[in-house]
Amino acid sequence: MAERSFAAEVRKLRLGAGEEFHGEGILAVTKALLQSGVSYVAGYQGAPISHLMDVLTDANDILKELGIRFEHSASEATAAATLAASVNYPLRGAVTFKATVGTNVASDAIANLASGGVTGGALIIVGEDYGEGSSIMQERSHAFAMKSQVWLLDPRPNLPSIVRAVEQGFELSEASRTPVMLELRIRACHVHGSFIATENRRADFTLKDAMEQPRRDVGRIALPPSTYLHEQEKVTQRWPDAVRFIQERGLNEFFAEDAQDFGIVLQGGLYNGVLRALELLGLADAFGHSRIPLYVLNVTYPLVDAEFTRFCAGKRAILIVEEGQPDFIEQAVHAILRKADVQTRLHGKDVLPMAGEYTGGVLVKGIARFIEKMAPALLEGRTLPTAAGSLAALDGHPKAIAIHDATTQVHGRPPSFCTGCPERPIFTAIKLVERELGSHHISCDIGCHLFSILPPFNIGATTMGYGLGWAGAAAFNTEETSRRTLSIMGDGGFWHNGLTSGVGNAVFNQTDNVLVVIDNGYSAATGGQDVLSSKASNPIRATNHPIEKAVRGVGVEWVRTVDNTYSLSRMRDALREALTTPAKGPKVIVASSECMLNKQRREKPLVRKAIGDGRRVVRERFGIDPDTCTGDHSCIRLSGCPSLTIKPNPDPLRRDPIAAVLDSCVGCGLCGEVADAAVLCPSFYRAEIINNPTRWDRFKERVRGAVIGWLQARIDRRLEGLAA
């Protein structure tokens, strides 16, 4: 089950020539692939590109009609290697994954692909996860493009530009016999708009043709001496062919080129932000007409020397708007201009931040500083940020625009587990075991479970990459202590890389440490896509392959499966046994419960329908007795559930606020389990909410109400007597 279904939206993929397509950026990418005559598509999910995999899954029937093969790849490396089909055959292929961590994984395959080159168009669509909304380390795809010499497209974030980039990306790849990387920032992935569609194309040369007419060219294989020829071919043939194509097709764009004797050069993906900044400064209108010359790099690698010398002709200075570090483009432009003896001054990271996302506020400040240097008269009447970040009016104009930085006014909100998450009790159990056995070195992994490093659990020392949780503790395979390390890995990471790099490595090197594999039924952190061990039946993928069976298959003998992580006592006992057993060798605990978010998405519509149909529906909720709660908040410290909060103490003699349960509770039962397993307090109670109750339900409710009312009245009378 993916995070959301695109079953309704994919019908737009059937639009024909001349019809207007309205929708989201990801959907437009898919339509562009179909219009380009792609033969195969593969990929691995990861924000902000996960939805492309979901769209392709929902559109599988349309893909099959066009003879397109679509695969959920085991990893980004698998996806990139799939492009080998385009090496010897005129087959257009596309793969997709998250950058830059996905590009890290895929880099070996990309390097080999780029070395020998391609015959058919090979397009790598990466979700550029950089900036304030990122979930990964702050790096850029640009370095990978430079390293392997694949061409990097960064289109303006509107649907016509994105569609054009996909279609021209294939053409550029074929014209230069080089793979092309297309990066889409998170806003580009989810931008909405429209474009005029063309007909979907079935490839002239099909996968069937390739398989029945196999070809080979030893010169395309990355093996000496061919690799030396590949390098020369890149420099003397493919690069010039790419530059020629970029110029002839006008892939980069110029706006208001002669409006001023200075200008701005920007990455295509930052176009909307730059235009908005110029509009706020009174230097562009809402329709994108700029008063400042703009050179938009829809292709950020390779750069075209002739276009830079053309744009700089007659200009005193230019500003390079390049998000992130290092400043690859700025350094390259310095070299281009100096070699051409062009004396235009270059600004960039001197007025804009060296690192960090170029948000609207950042761009306004940086561009304002540049304009103030070049033509301060253009900014008369505007309120501009000073170097220190405060606001300083250049004059007393009553219509001055105030540029506010909201970051100083918004409270930090660290990520956490969802309400009812089955992973939370695992870390509660670890805390309880550490209370008995002492602290342990804990190696983390990539996934939802990484939230355990934050309060209230504060667990975990390192994380080295997706599926590398156990490998991250490999150095601690020592016999000099009886204390064992504990490693965490999700089911997505397990199938991606962890089975070999973690489990296989531990077996081979005879580790005596412990791994907990969190099996929540999906690749949950990326949007709920199925994996090999998913319990759901998937019509186009094979599921229901147990993790326990896989780890035993590579040699692990000590394996325990806890099929209900909400049972704290079972989780605690399994962890204690793994950390204390005299048995030697690698130890694996498979902690299995379904992702609550996916479960609720599946069950809530069914519950609503049942209630609407008049059927009896019972829902469990938990609560806290305010008269019993002591206000020590241990339940919150050991659970951290978002549905647990505090409220004022009803007892006037006690100052500490008491715990309370919000209506968002999904009745997972963890808070009650925490109270029992940790011997905290008896204040938790379980309640049943009954919709469409039967006569028997109503009768029981009346009896309970009468008995409770009578008992409560006795207590009230006794308290009144004591007060008298």
Side-chain angles (χ1 to χ4, degrees):
M1 173 188 286
E3 189 168 276
R4 60 160 294 193
S5 171
F6 289 86
E9 288 94 331
V10 297
R11 290 196 291 267
K12 299 176 184 177
L13 299 177
R14 297 187 182 277
L15 292 176
E19 295 185 275
E20 189 170 19
F21 179 105
H22 291 266
E24 194 177 21
I26 288 293
L27 204 64
V29 170
T30 311
K31 175 60 174 165
L33 291 173
L34 303 186
Q35 293 176 173
S36 300
V38 71
S39 294
Y40 62 95
V41 187
Y44 191 85
Q45 59 273 359
I49 210 74
S50 294
H51 283 58
L52 181 52
M53 296 298 293
D54 300 335
V55 167
L56 290 165
T57 298
D58 289 336
N60 194 57
D61 290 344
I62 299 175
L63 301 181
K64 290 177 69 175
E65 291 171 14
L66 295 169
I68 301 170
R69 172 64 181 173
F70 166 56
E71 285 203 355
H72 275 270
S73 303
S75 70
E76 297 86 354
T78 307
T82 305
L83 290 171
S86 295
V87 170
N88 294 308
Y89 306 99
L91 294 167
R92 287 187 168 181
V95 298
T96 182
F97 40 76
K98 174 191 186 81
T100 57
V101 287
T103 322
N104 289 337
V105 176
S107 61
D108 194 13
I110 292 173
N112 278 274
L113 186 73
S115 183
V118 295
T119 301
L123 188 64
I124 304 166
I125 304 169
V126 297
E128 187 73 351
D129 196 9
Y130 178 88
E132 294 179 359
S134 173
S135 60
I136 60 168
M137 72 291 290
Q138 294 297 277
E139 294 184 355
R140 297 164 54 197
S141 301
H142 200 101
F144 289 95
M146 295 172 65
K147 177 187 76 68
S148 296
Q149 287 186 257
V150 300
W151 317 137
L152 181 62
L153 307 186
D154 186 5
R156 290 193 289 142
N158 61 67
L159 264 57
S161 295
I162 292 171
V163 170
R164 187 165 55 250
V166 172
E167 295 173 340
Q168 293 179 331
F170 282 117
E171 296 174 11
L172 173 60
S173 176
E174 291 163 343
S176 61
R177 301 169 305 286
T178 302
V180 169
M181 188 180 295
L182 168 63
E183 68 174 7
L184 296 173
R185 292 170 174 80
I186 186 168
R187 291 173 180 81
C189 291
H190 301 299
V191 69
H192 281 254
S194 64
F195 66 94
I196 302 303
T198 60
E199 293 292 340
N200 295 336
R201 287 174 46 200
R202 187 183 182 92
D204 296 328
F205 187 88
T206 67
L207 295 169
K208 175 178 178 292
D209 295 330
M211 294 174 69
E212 293 179 351
Q213 304 169 49
R215 305 174 187 173
R216 63 189 296 268
D217 180 356
V218 176
R220 296 298 93 198
I221 297 175
L223 182 72
S226 295
T227 47
Y228 312 128
L229 297 175
H230 295 168
E231 184 180 31
Q232 291 301 313
E233 185 181 283
K234 284 181 180 180
V235 175
T236 61
Q237 297 179 36
R238 296 191 219 164
W239 190 309
D241 288 346
V243 169
R244 189 178 308 111
F245 183 93
I246 293 165
Q247 287 183 283
E248 291 176 354
R249 295 298 185 90
L251 269 61
N252 296 321
E253 299 173 282
F254 297 86
F255 299 95
E257 192 171 358
D258 299 317
Q260 305 286 344
D261 63 351
F262 58 91
I264 299 175
V265 179
L266 60 141
Q267 294 166 297
L270 299 180
Y271 176 82
N272 290 1
V274 170
L275 256 293
R276 177 58 174 161
L278 290 173
E279 183 187 354
L280 290 173
L281 294 170
L283 300 175
D285 62 24
F287 301 97
H289 301 119
S290 174
R291 294 171 56 191
I292 306 298
L294 302 177
Y295 174 27
V296 181
L297 299 175
N298 294 315
V299 183
T300 53
Y301 185 80
L303 300 176
V304 181
D305 294 19
E307 290 186 350
F308 272 96
T309 55
R310 163 192 159 181
F311 185 71
C312 291
K315 290 186 173 60
R316 291 180 291 142
I318 60 172
L319 170 67
I320 304 290
V321 182
E322 176 186 7
E323 185 176 61
Q325 53 80 34
D327 50 350
F328 297 116
I329 297 174
E330 187 173 337
Q331 293 180 40
V333 175
H334 268 294
I336 291 171
L337 298 185
R338 299 297 86 84
K339 286 178 181 178
D341 197 26
V342 175
Q343 300 307 310
T344 302
R345 293 199 308 276
L346 192 61
H347 295 276
K349 300 296 186 182
D350 57 331
V351 296
L352 285 161
M354 184 65 186
E357 183 179 357
Y358 283 0
T359 60
V362 169
L363 287 170
V364 169
K365 292 177 182 178
I367 292 173
R369 292 180 188 124
F370 173 67
I371 301 297
E372 190 176 8
K373 291 175 182 287
M374 295 296 104
L378 294 176
L379 299 177
E380 289 182 0
R382 304 290 165 183
T383 297
L384 300 175
T386 66
S390 59
L391 301 177
L394 295 182
D395 59 28
H397 195 286
K399 295 183 178 179
I401 297 176
I403 311 301
H404 295 284
D405 187 351
T407 58
T408 60
Q409 304 173 35
V410 179
H411 292 290
R413 184 175 178 267
S416 183
F417 297 100
C418 300
T419 300
C421 176
E423 300 186 13
R424 186 180 288 107
I426 298 169
F427 300 104
T428 300
I430 291 174
K431 297 294 284 186
L432 295 177
V433 168
E434 286 199 324
R435 186 172 65 176
E436 300 176 32
L437 305 179
S439 61
H440 291 70
H441 176 85
I442 297 178
S443 174
C444 295
D445 209 303
I446 301 299
C448 299
H449 41 86
L450 193 55
F451 297 149
S452 64
I453 68 171
L454 301 172
F457 301 112
N458 302 304
I459 286 174
T462 57
T463 179
M464 289 292 105
Y466 199 31
L468 295 176
W470 214 358
F476 299 105
N477 293 339
T478 176
E479 298 178 355
E480 295 182 1
T481 177
S482 60
R483 181 159 295 195
R484 292 167 175 145
T485 63
L486 189 61
S487 300
I488 312 294
M489 189 186 297
D491 47 0
F494 174 85
W495 292 114
H496 176 277
N497 186 31
L499 181 59
T500 52
S501 297
V503 181
N505 180 73
V507 171
F508 186 64
N509 288 288
Q510 300 180 14
T511 181
D512 191 38
N513 292 322
V514 181
L515 170 69
V516 178
V517 181
I518 299 175
D519 176 17
N520 58 26
Y522 309 92
S523 182
T526 60
Q529 294 81 14
D530 283 332
V531 292
L532 277 162
S533 51
S534 294
K535 305 299 189 298
S537 176
N538 189 315
I540 63 173
R541 301 288 177 259
T543 53
N544 284 286
H545 296 280
I547 290 175
E548 178 173 342
K549 187 175 180 180
V551 299
R552 289 190 184 278
V554 296
V556 179
E557 297 179 359
W558 196 103
V559 187
R560 301 289 185 271
T561 294
V562 179
D563 57 11
N564 178 18
T565 62
Y566 297 105
S567 174
L568 269 184
S569 58
R570 292 181 61 191
M571 275 305 312
R572 179 192 57 195
D573 293 347
L575 285 162
R576 184 195 296 116
E577 183 186 1
L579 292 169
T580 60
T581 178
K584 298 297 183 181
K587 283 158 274 291
V588 175
I589 299 172
V590 181
S592 181
S593 279
E594 184 180 10
C595 168
M596 182 58 72
L597 205 58
N598 281 281
K599 182 178 180 180
Q600 291 296 314
R601 288 194 181 107
R602 185 182 69 254
E603 292 186 350
K604 278 186 175 180
L606 301 177
V607 170
R608 285 196 297 267
K609 185 177 186 306
I611 293 173
D613 293 343
R615 285 180 280 163
R616 179 179 183 269
V617 175
V618 180
R619 291 172 293 149
E620 287 189 349
R621 292 291 185 273
F622 282 76
I624 295 173
D625 182 358
D627 294 324
T628 309
C629 179
T630 62
D632 74 343
H633 309 145
S634 296
C635 54
I636 295 175
R637 292 195 298 273
L638 277 172
S639 169
C641 180
S643 65
L644 280 175
T645 186
I646 58 174
K647 68 179 183 180
N649 200 315
D651 188 340
L653 299 179
R654 293 188 294 167
R655 294 183 177 181
D656 293 333
I658 61 171
V661 180
L662 301 176
D663 290 339
S664 59
C665 172
V666 295
C668 70
L670 173 60
C671 51
E673 282 283 337
V674 168
D676 178 64
V679 195
L680 295 177
C681 69
S683 60
F684 284 93
Y685 64 83
R686 181 174 61 86
E688 291 183 346
I689 301 173
I690 303 176
N691 292 90
N692 303 317
T694 63
R695 290 181 178 178
W696 176 243
D697 291 324
R698 296 181 187 278
F699 172 75
K700 289 191 293 182
E701 178 63 20
R702 286 195 297 270
V703 171
R704 288 171 180 151
V707 173
I708 293 171
W710 179 75
L711 292 172
Q712 189 65 50
R714 286 185 60 193
I715 294 172
D716 292 341
R717 287 195 297 271
R718 187 176 64 189
L719 291 175
E720 288 173 3
L722 291 172

